[in-house]
Amino acid sequence: MSVQAFLLRAYLRHQFKSKSAAVTLEQARANLEMLAGKTPPPARIRTTTCEIAAVRCDSIEGRTTDAGRVLLYLHGGGYCMGSPHSHSDLTWRLGEASGARVVVPDYALAPEHPFPAALDQAVAIYKALLDDGIQPENLAVGGDSAGGGLAFATLVAARDKGLPMPAAAVTLSPWTDLAGTGRSMTTNAKADAMIRADQIGRIVPLYTRGREATDPLVSPLYADLQGLPATLIQVGSTEVLLDDSTRIAQKLEQAGVPVTLDVWASMPHVWQLFAGRLPEGREAIVKIGAF
């Protein structure tokens, strides 16, 4: 673990884990925007706002971007926080590493817009990209945390609608089991530098609004995963959501889907967000781009 990672873990533990019980949703939203959205992209990166399937999106390109190759990226934030802005430092880096244009939807958040609002929008955007001429072999779908779970759910729903699958999927610390049945929810409860299990339990009903947490489109761990594209999953070894990654990787493998599970020792939840000051974040993004 780098010195930067050690210091980041200490900061996250103080700033988020120790204070999370007393923070309101509005404060949590503001904290996430402040945490990840401080540094603007370099001048060589061009971010434009567009509408795709009636959803506002950021479209991110660099000097060497192949506009015919697209990464549809779904930001994290527990389905009730986050935005294209909060994840801008991550998404421009993903674009440079992959050479693809990155499309980041400002999808509807709970509790104002509970399930299935975000999923419906994500599927509509995916279909619109295909309808606009982006070839499936030049398209990837990704996301982090709740956005990683939403990425899996989007692929399952798109497959069930008869849409072609993209070339690849990549998820960072994906939240795939809103029922919270993974052993790591308990075994990593102290070691996780950022997330508290009880905090997750408070978020779930904001999104599900009475829907069963084991609904396959709420928690893709319970879905039929056959036919999904080759998938890369990155996760930290001390996360409470570790088992959300290891178990869906096992299910993907059992379904015949090529899957790479990349477990990083002692990294905090979605450490790639901090790549500007974290060497492990930059290394992880290089691996994502290569994939």
Side-chain angles (χ1 to χ4, degrees):
M1 184 195 309
S2 68
V3 172
Q4 295 94 324
F6 178 83
L7 294 173
L8 176 63
R9 284 175 56 88
Y11 170 78
L12 293 173
R13 186 176 295 278
H14 170 74
Q15 190 69 18
F16 285 86
K17 194 170 184 181
S18 64
K19 299 179 180 179
S20 62
V23 170
T24 66
L25 177 57
E26 290 72 20
Q27 289 170 327
R29 285 173 168 172
N31 288 344
L32 182 56
E33 295 295 319
M34 178 191 69
L35 176 72
K38 283 184 177 179
T39 307
R44 66 182 180 273
I45 303 299
R46 183 173 71 256
T47 300
T48 57
T49 300
C50 60
E51 274 202 2
I52 305 176
V55 180
R56 193 189 75 80
C57 301
D58 276 4
S59 178
I60 303 162
E61 299 182 52
R63 290 174 183 162
T64 60
T65 298
D66 179 351
R69 301 173 67 234
V70 173
L71 167 62
L72 172 58
Y73 192 84
L74 303 166
H75 69 77
Y79 294 107
C80 59
M81 297 171 283
S83 69
H85 173 261
S86 69
H87 284 61
S88 60
D89 191 69
L90 170 61
T91 50
W92 77 256
R93 293 174 189 275
L94 291 173
E96 285 215 324
S98 64
R101 177 166 65 101
V102 184
V103 172
V104 190
D106 194 12
Y107 62 80
L109 298 178
E112 296 89 346
H113 306 283
F115 177 85
L119 176 62
D120 289 346
Q121 289 182 344
V123 173
I125 293 166
Y126 179 78
K127 182 178 184 301
L129 290 170
L130 293 170
D131 291 344
D132 197 39
I134 302 299
Q135 298 301 307
E137 60 268 24
N138 292 329
L139 182 58
V141 175
D144 63 277
S145 194
L150 182 58
F152 281 125
T154 298
L155 293 169
V156 170
R159 179 205 61 197
D160 290 349
K161 290 179 179 293
L163 297 175
M165 287 290 94
V170 57
T171 61
L172 318 180
S173 306
W175 189 19
T176 66
D177 178 18
L178 275 65
T181 63
R183 287 185 65 251
S184 58
M185 293 286 286
T186 301
T187 58
N188 280 349
K190 291 184 179 179
D192 192 306
M194 190 173 182
I195 297 180
R196 297 165 49 132
D198 62 328
Q199 179 186 31
I200 291 176
R202 293 198 301 272
I203 290 174
V204 171
L206 301 181
Y207 178 62
T208 57
R209 191 67 66 85
R211 189 72 65 103
E212 289 294 328
T214 54
D215 183 308
L217 293 179
V218 170
S219 296
L221 179 65
Y222 303 97
D224 173 7
L225 303 176
Q226 293 186 60
L228 266 59
T231 300
L232 170 65
I233 301 171
Q234 291 183 340
V235 66
S237 65
T238 55
E239 295 192 50
V240 292
L241 294 180
L242 172 63
D243 282 2
D244 283 46
S245 289
T246 59
R247 290 183 296 161
I248 201 164
Q250 183 180 35
K251 283 201 65 175
L252 286 163
E253 187 174 19
Q254 291 170 348
V257 176
V259 59
T260 301
L261 175 64
D262 193 14
V263 181
W264 289 58
S266 302
M267 285 298 104
H269 186 62
V270 196
W271 72 94
Q272 302 87 343
L273 274 172
F274 309 98
R277 50 190 181 274
L278 188 65
E280 291 91 341
R282 296 190 291 275
E283 183 183 349
I285 288 172
V286 168
K287 294 179 75 171
I288 293 167
F291 180 83

